[in-house]
Amino acid sequence: MVDKITSWKFAEDFATESEVFRDARGRAEELGVECITPAVGAQLAMLASALGAKAIVEAGTGTGVSGLWLLSGSSQAVLATIDSETENQMIAKRAFNEAKIPANRTRVIHGRAIDVMSNMADAAYDLVFLDADRETLEEQLHEASRLLRPGGVVAIAHALWRDRVPDPAMRDDATAIYRDVLRFFSNNDDFVSALSTAGDGLMLASKRA
């Protein structure tokens, strides 16, 4: 049996980031903002590419790391990215500018994810990435289901939550939230779903056509 930890680390190190990505990641570390890992970013970029994504929603802008990955996967995509922290958004805009992403390809929206998403159009988006406001994650998930076009994908970061989700002895609130999210997909025939061990876990689900 292959050493799974070694394989996981190999997969994490397989994806490489340009200087712009690394700079955005460095700013996140300075602010204490947690970013997705490069391996998760690469999976998001692959999804955007495979979907030919034109419209993407991101809940949780951070310093722009995940947004850079999402936009790198599809040259025609427009990203609507939501965050409640103005400082994060300013730094993310800097990252998008450094990456020479045209201004008309990003909509940086200030507010709580659930509030903003509730005002977005039905079945208008190809990809929704959720990485914000864990306390309202289940509500965001229901909004994401509404926002996605048939065949669209929702991706949820931290789905294994510090490797606590698989351990039944772990019963803290955060772990319970992610378990409920996984249960939502395992009991829902409207989605084709898969759980990736990349990063801190990445839940992927495609809305059936």
Side-chain angles (χ1 to χ4, degrees):
M1 178 68 71
V2 173
D3 182 342
K4 292 298 183 183
I5 294 177
T6 300
S7 295
W8 177 87
K9 187 177 186 308
F10 181 84
E12 287 293 315
D13 293 340
F14 183 76
T16 58
E17 293 183 315
S18 71
E19 183 177 355
V20 172
F21 286 66
R22 293 194 300 271
D23 287 347
R25 189 176 294 282
R27 294 174 196 129
E29 291 175 0
E30 291 173 3
L31 290 175
V33 174
E34 184 174 3
C35 294
I36 60 168
T37 67
V40 171
Q43 292 200 26
L44 294 178
M46 184 277 294
L47 280 172
S49 177
L51 291 166
K54 295 181 180 178
I56 301 173
V57 176
E58 175 186 44
T61 308
T63 59
V65 174
S66 49
L68 288 170
W69 274 109
L70 288 162
L71 289 167
S72 73
S74 175
S75 60
Q76 58 189 346
V78 174
L79 174 69
T81 181
I82 309 161
D83 205 291
S84 59
E85 296 292 335
T86 302
E87 184 177 10
N88 290 353
Q89 293 183 312
M90 292 176 61
I91 294 172
K93 287 180 181 179
R94 175 180 171 184
F96 298 151
N97 183 61
E98 290 175 348
K100 296 181 170 52
I101 295 168
N104 63 359
R105 292 191 61 206
T106 59
R107 293 172 52 219
V108 180
I109 306 169
H110 182 266
R112 293 174 68 241
I114 188 61
D115 296 335
V116 176
M117 292 171 69
S118 66
N119 289 310
M120 290 179 158
D122 292 358
Y125 296 90
D126 305 295
L127 178 58
V128 177
F129 176 53
L130 303 180
D131 188 17
D133 304 331
R134 183 173 58 250
E135 294 75 14
T136 63
L137 181 56
E138 290 183 71
E139 296 170 71
Q140 292 173 50
L141 176 54
H142 286 282
E143 289 297 333
S145 301
R146 179 183 62 80
L147 298 181
L148 285 172
R149 64 164 177 78
V153 172
V154 58
I156 304 172
H158 309 297
L160 293 172
W161 190 243
R162 314 294 192 246
D163 294 317
R164 297 171 71 87
V165 168
D167 185 347
M170 300 296 176
R171 300 181 180 180
D172 57 281
D173 290 344
T175 302
I177 287 170
Y178 288 105
R179 285 196 184 116
D180 287 343
V181 167
L182 300 187
R183 195 174 298 115
F184 171 87
F185 288 111
S186 64
N187 296 327
N188 194 328
D189 292 335
D190 293 333
F191 287 88
V192 178
S193 60
L195 178 60
S196 167
T197 57
D200 195 23
L202 183 65
M203 185 69 208
L204 302 171
S206 176
K207 189 174 182 179
R208 290 186 188 273

